[in-house]
């Protein structure tokens, strides 16, 4: 198992390198110059050139890429052009916000998504199935910025139950932290619940049609036992795959939700950095996200072995 | 001093009428209450707070509270001394002497002296994108701790007006910051507020500076100058990029004041008995920028044809902004407003004439690229309507919608193959001709224009205001007649204020001294 982990991590290195080079090149392909943005529109050409020199943007792109990779190898992600701080610090400040939001949304998604999927499958082709699947369809289809705005109008403006925006760090107050995150987390989870419910239902339907389920029924095993022990356990491979995918999406930060609820997270950082052509921040954040995807994939592989004893990596 | 032209008087009367009905009026009737924190829902946060590098509104707004320059602007946007006791200009217009106010302390407790002022100017000349202002400085002198002298090589009639600029402001910093690289200073000023907690992308707090001594030669606040008295303990800027969230924050009482509201969202606050929406003028002016070094708009007549085809009323309607019609590149009532002489090029709305001009220009259906962006809907929608107006006059138009960063960079660099774009200028129309110069030359990419060059030379050379106004009249006429820029409108700034936040003054930016919470 340890060998597998080491192997997967070693495999991740070239992947990360490709992510790094691609992000770097894509960013530099974008028109727009950070020096002009920093200087402001009142600046003369000489000042813009000076800023470009100061930031090393006047060097040829391959040279900039080489310097960046060399620094990266030494653990230096560079310095943000706009925020005037190290990229690692900028990301570190915002990571707790995004992780809090992601974990809370994930914690809401898992039980509801799985439960709805199982219920729809067990009562397939009845009104329950239709109702659950329509709800799931709504969750997947309705844009979350719209739900977010409606939710704020209802829960913050009209009822006054929750704050309309902003983030309270966990170490300041637990209740404040929860209050500031519960609304964005639920809105964010609606899409994921819909997605997970549909995938779980389809996986359950495949299993419920299997001979061994019919056999279990025929020999009089209790319905609940069949559903939970015989059917659901056999869908876990698919459920874990989808859940892992959902988690990596969540860690990528929800740009829209962080924007609407004014949460200072990774998604917002990334969007601002792209708008400002803050190359080091975009590159650093993309690398982090790439790493998160790779890491979660490794985690999923390990969970496979746990949920399905037939899977062995040695 | 501003003149009371009919336009200005009407604006004043209107403001007075509004004040008598608006809940903002009791500002004058009540004694200020001390304490509390004003919650300000702002659309974004500063990236940095080095005044010498600051050009964005969110940065400048914080900087205006924390730092102060020698010379700043009063409520009419005229130059007034702030940290200077006064100023004196030599007869030849080359030497400027600033006696400094005594007993002014930085937030770190040190007293401000001429050494700090000198260090600030020296650093400015090295790092600031606005350093062109100081390019002609012969020397700085500090005869004593409380006197600072700037000597120029040549006469500069508007040097004091250049020093009042709120963009890359000449804010005085401690001499210890002299060699700090650009954007890496310690945020230590002399202002009535000092920097408190700052979490980037989340919030920023400015706290009352208990050691602040206001100027005693004014009755109350006056733009960036005057008697700055702070009644609240702090102001907390919460960065809420989404306009819906800012409106919701006002509705729930999570914000006392907000800004940058689209007109349709501001309307949601009408009828709310705790909040008053306000539209503040003057704020910004919207222009169509015409690229004069890019075919086919390098042909003056093609540019003029575009101007003749423009129907400003439809552009304003499409923009969805709170906007007023005004032909001028400055505001009615200001010293450089030249009356109706330059009005003839505005809102011509004459496609037939435009078609004739195109014919005379030898226009042969060459593609005219209109570039705009998705980030600012008012810009995009104006450009989409403009495209139809130009097509109606027989032009072959292509619309290119990109993101704001690309659009803005292209406008500045001249790259990207565009012919017409649109943007707003906020400080330039308020600050006057010297502040317009860079934009007038850079945005339309003006090359070899002797009329402009001569008029600007005249502008800087005369200490007599009437000569300078005459020079500006020529500059404005050349820009508008040559259709380097086509004026669209004066845009207002839509804000909202909680009814128990008192002392709000309509100004280009929100200034929190003189404001208090009545609760």
């Amino acid at each position: 198992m340890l060998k597998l982990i080491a192997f997967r991590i070693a495999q991740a290195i070239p992947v990360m390198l490709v992510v790094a080079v691609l992000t770097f090149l894509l960013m530099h392909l974008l028109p727009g110059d950070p020096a002009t943005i920093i200087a402001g529109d009142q600046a003369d050409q000489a000042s813009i050139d000076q800023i470009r020199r100061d930031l090393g943007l006047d060097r040829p792109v391959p040279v900039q890429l080489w310097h960046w990779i060399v620094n990266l190898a030494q653990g230096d992600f560079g310095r943000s052009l706009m925020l005037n701080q190290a990229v690692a610090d900028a990301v570190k400040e915002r990571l707790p916000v995004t992780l809090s939001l992601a974990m809370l949304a994930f914690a809401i998604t898992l039980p509801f998504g799985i439960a709805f999927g199982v219920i729809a499958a067990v009562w397939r082709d009845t009104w329950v199935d239709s109702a659950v699947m329509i709800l799931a369809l709504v969750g997947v289809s309705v844009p979350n910025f719209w739900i977010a705005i409606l939710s704020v109008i209802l829960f913050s403006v009209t009822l006054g139950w929750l704050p309309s925006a902003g983030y309270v760090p966990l170490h300041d107050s637990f209740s404040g932290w929860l209050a500031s995150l519960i609304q964005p987390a639920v809105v964010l989870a609606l899409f994921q619940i819909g997605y997970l419910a549909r995938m779980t239902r389809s996986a359950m339907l495949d299993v419920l049609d299997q001979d061994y389920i019919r056999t279990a029924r025929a020999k009089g095993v209790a319905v609940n036992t069949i559903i939970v022990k015989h059917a659901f356990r056999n869908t876990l491979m698919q459920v874990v795959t989808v859940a892992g995918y959902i988690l990596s999406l969540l860690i990528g930060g929800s740009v829209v939700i962080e924007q609407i609820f004014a949460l200072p997270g990774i998604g917002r950082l990334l969007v601002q950095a792209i708008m400002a052509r803050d190359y080091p921040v975009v590159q650093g954040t993309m690398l982090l996200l790439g790493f998160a995807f790779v890491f979660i994939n490794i985690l999923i592989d390990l969970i496979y072995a746990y949920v399905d004893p037939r899977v062995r990596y040695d | 001093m501003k003149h009371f032209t009919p336009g200005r008087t009407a604006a004043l009367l209107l403001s007075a009428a509004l004040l008598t009905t608006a809940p903002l009026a009791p500002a004058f009737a009540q004694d200020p209450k001390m304490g509390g924190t004003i919650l300000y829902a702002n659309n974004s946060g500063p990236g940095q707070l080095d005044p010498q590098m600051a050009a964005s509104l969110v940065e400048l707004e914080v900087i205006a509270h924390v730092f102060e320059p020698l010379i700043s602007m009063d409520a009419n946007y005229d130059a007034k001394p702030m940290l200077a006791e006064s100023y004196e200009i030599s007869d030849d217009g080359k030497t400027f002497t600033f006696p400094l106010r005594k007993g002014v302390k930085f937030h770190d407790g040190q007293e401000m002296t001429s050494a700090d002022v000198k260090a600030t100017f020296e650093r400015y000349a090295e790092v600031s994108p606005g350093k062109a202002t100081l390019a002609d400085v012969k020397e700085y002198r500090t005869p004593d701790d409380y006197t600072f002298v700037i000597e120029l090589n040549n006469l500069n009639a508007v040097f004091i007006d250049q020093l009042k600029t709120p963009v890359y402001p000449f804010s005085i910093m401690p001499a210890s910051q002299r060699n700090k690289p650009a954007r890496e200073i310690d945020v230590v000023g002399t202002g009535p507020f000092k920097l408190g907690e700052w979490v980037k992308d989340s919030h920023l707090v400015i706290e009352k500076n208990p050691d602040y001594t206001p100027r005693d030669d004014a009755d109350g606040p006056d733009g960036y100058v005057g008697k700055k008295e702070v009644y609240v303990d702090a102001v907390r800027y919460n960065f809420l990029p989404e306009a819906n969230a800012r409106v919701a924050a006002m509705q729930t009482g999570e914000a006392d004041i907000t800004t940058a509201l689209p007109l349709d969202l501001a309307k949601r606050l009408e009828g709310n008995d705790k909040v008053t929406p306000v539209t503040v003028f003057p704020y910004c002016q919207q222009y169509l920028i015409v690229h004069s070094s890019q075919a086919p708009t390098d042909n003056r007549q093609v540019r003029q044809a575009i101007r003749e085809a423009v129907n400003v009323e439809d552009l304003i309607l499409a923009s969805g902004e709170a906007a007023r019609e005004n032909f001028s590149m400055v505001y009615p009532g200001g010293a450089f407003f030249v009356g109706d002489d330059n009005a003839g090029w505005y809102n011509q709305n004459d496609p037939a004439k435009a078609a004739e001009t195109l014919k005379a220009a030898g226009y042969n259906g060459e593609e005219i690229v209109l570039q705009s962006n998705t980030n600012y809907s008012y810009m995009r929608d104006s450009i989409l309507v403009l495209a139809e107006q130009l097509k109606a006059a027989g032009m072959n138009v292509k619309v290119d919608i990109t993101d704001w960063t690309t659009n803005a960079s292209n406008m500045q660099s001249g790259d990207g193959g565009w012919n017409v774009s649109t943007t707003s200028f906020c400080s330039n129309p308020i600050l006057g001709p010297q502040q317009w110069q860079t934009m007038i030359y850079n945005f339309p990419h003006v090359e070899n224009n002797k009329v402009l060059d001569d008029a600007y030379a005249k502008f800087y050379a005369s200490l007599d205001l009437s000569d300078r106004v005459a020079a500006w009249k020529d500059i404005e006429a050349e820009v508008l007649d040559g259709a380097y820029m086509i004026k669209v409108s004066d845009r207002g700034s839509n804000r909202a204020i909680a009814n128990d936040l008192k002392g709000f003054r309509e100004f280009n930016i929100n200034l929190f001294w003189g404001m208090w919470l009545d609760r």
Side-chain angles (χ1 to χ4, degrees):
Chain A
M1 184 66 86
L2 276 176
K3 233 165 115 183
L4 168 85
I5 296 173
F7 178 64
R8 291 302 302 268
I9 288 175
Q11 256 186 337
I13 291 171
V15 174
M16 303 303 299
L17 201 65
V18 170
V19 170
V21 173
L22 270 184
T23 315
F24 185 92
L25 293 178
L26 283 175
M27 267 320 277
H28 283 76
L29 272 179
L30 275 179
D33 174 5
T36 56
I37 299 163
I38 290 169
D41 53 14
Q42 317 260 344
D44 56 14
Q45 195 53 45
S47 306
I48 294 170
D49 291 343
Q50 186 185 336
I51 292 174
R52 204 173 280 137
R53 270 196 307 278
D54 291 349
L55 298 174
L57 298 169
D58 58 336
R59 294 176 299 181
V61 170
V63 177
Q64 290 185 49
L65 174 62
W66 173 248
H67 277 272
W68 184 60
I69 300 271
V70 168
N71 287 339
L72 212 56
Q74 297 164 28
D76 178 5
F77 284 75
R79 219 175 150 70
S80 161
L81 307 181
M82 307 303 291
L83 297 168
N84 200 31
Q85 65 180 148
V87 172
D89 292 341
V91 169
K92 212 157 61 188
E93 273 173 19
R94 289 159 180 80
L95 204 53
V97 181
T98 297
L99 284 182
S100 298
L101 179 64
M103 289 307 162
L104 200 57
F106 194 60
I108 297 167
T109 301
L110 271 192
F112 284 100
I114 290 171
F116 285 147
V118 171
I119 288 169
V122 171
W123 279 283
R124 85 170 107 168
D125 301 332
T126 66
W127 68 269
V128 180
D129 182 22
S130 308
V132 171
M133 280 307 105
I134 287 170
L135 274 180
L137 192 66
V138 169
V140 175
S141 325
V142 179
N144 55 13
F145 74 86
W146 187 69
I147 297 184
I149 291 169
L150 290 190
S151 161
V152 167
I153 292 176
L154 177 63
F155 292 106
S156 306
V157 178
T158 309
L159 298 172
W161 290 351
L162 294 164
S164 63
Y167 174 72
V168 178
L170 185 56
H171 54 80
D172 280 7
S173 140
F174 175 75
S175 58
W177 173 83
L178 197 61
S180 69
L181 282 179
I182 191 76
Q183 196 169 204
V186 169
V187 173
L188 194 53
L190 285 180
F191 172 89
Q192 322 290 1
I193 290 173
Y195 181 55
L196 185 58
R198 289 163 64 89
M199 298 308 283
T200 309
R201 174 180 180 272
S202 119
M204 278 291 283
L205 287 183
D206 283 347
V207 175
L208 287 174
D209 284 341
Q210 298 291 320
D211 289 343
Y212 63 85
I213 300 289
R214 197 178 318 121
T215 309
R217 282 207 181 119
K219 71 180 188 184
V221 177
V223 179
N224 286 346
T225 314
I226 294 174
I227 292 168
V228 176
K229 203 171 160 189
H230 297 274
F232 179 64
R233 272 180 81 163
N234 280 296
T235 68
L236 271 180
M237 290 293 270
Q238 285 101 314
V239 171
V240 166
T241 310
V242 175
Y245 175 64
I246 287 175
L247 185 62
S248 23
L249 280 188
L250 287 170
I251 288 178
S254 166
V255 169
V256 176
I257 294 297
E258 287 183 7
Q259 190 86 351
I260 292 180
F261 289 97
L263 301 171
I266 295 286
R268 207 168 142 197
L269 176 72
L270 189 58
V271 169
Q272 287 182 359
I274 292 171
M275 292 308 300
R277 303 292 187 265
D278 193 341
Y279 303 138
V281 170
V282 178
Q283 290 155 198
T285 315
M286 289 307 291
L287 261 188
L288 174 85
L289 297 185
F291 177 76
F293 267 77
V294 170
F295 176 76
I296 288 169
N297 271 320
I298 295 176
L299 209 65
I300 289 171
D301 284 349
L302 298 182
I303 295 175
Y304 280 162
Y306 176 75
V307 296
D308 188 345
R310 288 167 304 179
V311 178
R312 283 289 171 263
Y313 289 113
D314 35 42
Chain B
M1 190 60 205
K2 295 285 182 233
H3 308 290
F4 279 81
T5 61
R8 189 169 185 84
T9 315
L12 281 174
L13 286 175
L14 185 67
S15 317
L18 282 173
L19 282 169
T20 48
T21 50
L24 313 168
F28 299 103
Q30 296 172 354
D31 284 333
K33 284 185 184 165
M34 304 297 285
T37 296
I38 298 175
L39 301 175
Y40 180 13
N42 205 348
N43 52 330
S44 69
Q48 60 90 34
L49 290 174
D50 181 346
Q52 303 186 343
M53 297 299 292
S56 80
L57 197 62
V58 285
E59 289 168 0
L60 296 170
E61 213 168 48
V62 175
I63 285 167
H65 290 85
V66 176
F67 292 94
E68 292 172 322
L70 293 183
I71 304 290
S72 200
M73 297 190 295
D74 67 8
N76 293 324
Y77 303 97
D78 290 332
K80 282 272 172 67
M82 183 62 234
L83 289 179
E85 193 66 65
S86 58
Y87 59 87
E88 203 178 284
I89 309 172
S90 66
D91 291 342
D92 62 0
K94 291 184 186 172
T95 308
F96 300 79
T97 306
F98 304 91
L100 305 179
R101 286 168 58 206
K102 289 178 183 159
V104 173
K105 289 214 170 105
F106 287 110
H107 299 151
D108 62 5
Q110 304 270 347
E111 193 188 1
M112 178 198 73
T113 67
S114 54
D116 300 307
V117 179
K118 183 167 179 255
T120 300
F121 276 78
E122 285 171 348
R123 180 175 183 272
Y124 194 103
E126 282 170 19
V127 305
S128 177
K131 65 187 169 193
T133 304
L134 302 179
D136 194 39
V137 170
K138 189 175 167 196
E139 65 169 342
Y140 304 110
R141 288 196 296 270
T142 52
D144 60 61
D145 275 358
Y146 301 105
T147 309
F148 178 62
V149 181
I150 302 178
E151 194 179 331
L152 306 180
N153 290 309
N154 299 290
L155 180 152
N156 180 352
V158 290
F159 188 62
I160 292 292
D161 276 335
Q162 289 175 317
L163 291 188
K164 76 177 182 187
T165 176
V167 183
Y168 317 121
F170 288 84
S171 310
I172 305 303
M173 301 185 280
S176 57
Q177 308 300 308
R178 167 68 182 84
N179 295 318
K180 291 272 168 77
R183 310 189 302 146
E184 289 182 26
I185 57 153
D186 305 323
V187 185
V188 175
T190 59
F193 288 89
K194 51 186 184 178
L195 184 65
E197 185 182 53
W198 178 16
V199 179
K200 285 193 176 157
D201 286 354
S202 173
H203 62 274
L204 178 150
V205 179
I206 51 172
E207 294 161 355
K208 177 180 181 167
N209 171 11
D211 300 324
Y212 184 74
T213 322
R215 286 188 77 102
D216 51 13
D217 55 356
D219 293 333
D222 184 11
Y224 287 91
V225 297
K227 189 175 184 181
K228 302 179 190 171
E229 287 180 294
V230 177
Y231 302 120
V232 293
D233 296 332
V235 180
R236 181 182 161 115
Y237 295 66
N238 287 323
F239 311 135
L240 275 62
E242 181 60 34
N244 271 296
R246 296 198 293 280
V247 170
M250 289 304 294
Q251 290 172 314
T252 58
E254 288 169 272
D256 301 310
I257 178 166
T258 190
T259 188
L261 296 179
L263 196 57
D264 53 335
L265 281 184
K267 283 188 177 143
R268 235 167 63 192
L269 293 166
E270 283 171 8
N272 185 316
D273 57 358
K274 292 193 176 109
V275 176
T276 304
V278 273
T279 301
V280 175
F281 288 96
Y283 183 60
C284 297
Q285 297 191 338
Q286 187 190 351
Y287 288 82
L288 303 173
I289 313 292
V290 191
H291 197 322
S292 65
S293 302
Q294 175 86 28
T297 45
D298 54 347
N299 182 330
R300 189 177 178 100
Q301 281 181 307
V302 172
R303 295 200 301 275
Q304 286 170 328
I306 293 174
R307 190 195 60 224
E308 285 159 357
V310 168
N311 173 346
V312 159
E313 285 151 43
D314 284 352
L315 294 189
I316 291 179
L317 202 65
S319 75
E321 291 279 296
R324 292 174 178 166
E325 289 182 29
N326 168 22
F327 68 87
S328 176
M329 297 174 71
V330 294
Y331 292 102
F336 289 96
F337 185 75
V338 294
D340 284 349
D341 287 358
N342 285 349
W345 299 293
Y346 184 63
N347 193 16
Q348 287 177 283
N349 189 18
D350 192 345
K353 194 177 172 198
E356 275 175 37
T357 312
L358 281 179
K359 217 168 149 190
Y363 175 74
N364 214 358
E366 293 90 343
E367 194 170 67
I368 297 176
V369 179
L370 311 189
Q371 192 170 74
S372 192
N373 64 83
T374 48
N375 302 69
Y376 293 97
S377 57
Y378 85 88
M379 294 186 193
R380 182 198 58 213
D381 296 346
S382 311
I383 285 292
L384 291 177
V385 170
L386 176 72
E388 297 309 313
Q389 294 177 356
L390 299 188
K391 279 181 200 162
M395 294 180 215
N396 172 19
V397 171
K398 182 187 158 198
V399 176
D400 174 19
I401 304 286
T402 171
D403 70 317
W404 167 242
T405 313
T406 305
N407 188 192
S409 281
N410 285 345
M411 266 193 268
Q412 276 184 282
S413 66
D415 300 338
W418 60 281
N419 295 101
V420 184
S421 190
T422 185
T423 188
S424 290
F425 298 111
C426 301
S427 59
N428 317 76
I430 291 169
L431 294 168
Q434 72 281 352
Q435 214 77 22
W436 259 123
Q437 190 177 8
T438 323
M439 323 312 256
I440 286 174
Y441 279 91
N442 288 4
F443 275 68
H445 300 276
V446 177
E447 284 170 7
N448 307 322
N449 186 317
K450 197 166 166 354
V451 179
L452 280 180
D453 296 347
D454 290 350
Y456 259 114
K458 236 165 68 184
F459 176 79
Y460 285 107
S462 176
L463 286 169
D464 186 347
L465 179 63
S466 62
D467 289 345
R468 296 210 298 274
V469 173
W472 167 248
K473 190 175 168 184
D474 293 345
I475 295 166
E476 187 180 61
E478 176 58 15
V479 172
L480 299 176
D481 180 27
Y484 292 101
M485 297 192 195
I486 300 167
K487 178 73 189 287
V488 179
S489 67
D490 293 354
R491 292 169 50 226
S493 155
N494 298 313
R495 307 176 197 177
I497 294 117
N499 292 343
D500 53 6
L501 176 62
K502 308 291 185 183
F504 173 75
R505 303 171 302 283
E506 292 197 7
F507 197 57
N508 189 260
I509 62 173
N510 288 318
L511 295 171
F512 291 106
W513 53 81
M515 288 175 85
W516 75 95
L517 293 160
D518 185 22
R519 55 178 80 137

